[in-house]
Amino acid sequence: MNTLPTEGDGMRSVPARHQPMGDLVTVGGSNGNPRMKIAHREIGPEYPPLVIAEIGINHGGDLEVAKDMVRLAAQAGAECIKHQTHFVEDEMTDEAKSVFPPNADISIYEVMQRCALTQQDEIELKAFAEKLGLIYISTPFSRKAADFLNSIDVPAFKIGSGEADHLPLIRVSWSIARARSIAPCTIRSSGPDRRMQSIVSRVR
């Protein structure tokens, strides 16, 4: 885990440390330690693991299916739900309408349109998760998505591996975290540590 601290009230910036303890870069924490906080939950070597249930877009755009997934995750003991927030027109170009995933008869653009929840549905899903005592976080795939998640007080953003070098999105997400004095902006990495070091240094 590589940690890039967020400057908060009275907190000075500390150089990032590169400690390969997993595949997340954590933008947050303090004093260069690999720790962070999402909502009320402290995360770090001295705390129990945080179990995050990945909902993603596996609900296929159906709010009731998404709620069932959240309910089952809560029953299984998860503490946190991770969703994906898509505003397809803001994250894809028209060229995506001509890109067809393997074994699919519709374009990736249409796939994502079908799987994305509406803004109101996501607000309702977040409220449902929180009513069950779960922390709700999400992955934004565009600036519009990041701004929306900020507007509904999502306590952390997770940047997907496919967006790990999407510097404009990372910078927007990080600036939101800093402005709200919330630490977490986590980046999922599928590449070597040197790639993560390059991304962290460019974001800084």
Side-chain angles (χ1 to χ4, degrees):
M1 179 179 290
N2 302 326
T3 303
L4 182 64
T6 300
E7 294 182 10
D9 296 336
M11 183 187 299
R12 65 183 182 86
S13 178
V14 180
R17 296 172 61 189
H18 299 286
Q19 301 180 354
M21 296 172 59
D23 58 3
L24 291 179
V25 171
T26 304
V27 179
S30 62
N31 300 324
N33 293 324
R35 67 178 63 183
M36 59 191 285
K37 186 177 182 180
I38 298 180
H40 58 276
R41 180 62 155 80
E42 297 280 356
I43 305 166
E46 66 271 45
Y47 300 103
L50 173 65
V51 177
I52 302 176
E54 172 69 41
I55 298 298
I57 55 172
N58 295 310
H59 47 68
D62 188 321
L63 176 60
E64 294 308 312
V65 173
K67 286 182 176 180
D68 283 342
M69 296 176 74
V70 170
R71 185 183 299 108
L72 290 171
Q75 291 173 358
E79 294 181 66
C80 183
I81 292 295
K82 209 286 289 177
H83 188 244
Q84 290 184 11
T85 302
H86 292 275
F87 297 115
V88 183
E89 72 284 354
D90 203 57
E91 68 185 59
M92 293 187 179
T93 63
D94 285 341
E95 283 78 5
K97 296 177 181 179
S98 301
V99 176
F100 291 78
N103 302 317
D105 56 2
I106 59 175
S107 70
I108 186 62
Y109 193 99
E110 188 174 349
V111 169
M112 299 314 302
Q113 275 189 321
R114 292 184 181 185
C115 291
L117 292 181
T118 66
Q119 292 187 37
Q120 188 55 47
D121 280 351
E122 183 154 5
I123 291 171
E124 188 172 337
L125 183 64
K126 177 177 180 285
F128 180 78
E130 291 174 344
K131 186 176 181 179
L132 295 178
L134 300 175
I135 300 168
Y136 183 94
I137 66 174
S138 190
T139 295
F141 283 82
S142 64
R143 176 164 190 157
K144 182 177 179 180
D147 287 341
F148 167 69
L149 293 174
N150 182 38
S151 74
I152 63 172
D153 295 325
V154 170
F157 298 168
K158 183 227 175 201
I159 305 299
S161 58
E163 316 304 314
D165 54 2
H166 188 339
L167 292 180
L169 177 61
I170 294 170
R171 288 189 174 114
V172 166
S173 299
W174 186 26
S175 66
I176 287 172
R178 294 180 67 177
R180 289 176 53 193
S181 296
I182 58 174
C185 170
T186 61
I187 303 173
R188 174 70 160 84
S189 154
S190 296
D193 188 60
R194 63 180 178 274
R195 180 183 181 220
M196 286 294 92
Q197 293 182 17
S198 173
I199 292 168
V200 170
S201 65
R202 291 169 72 184
V203 171
R204 294 183 67 221

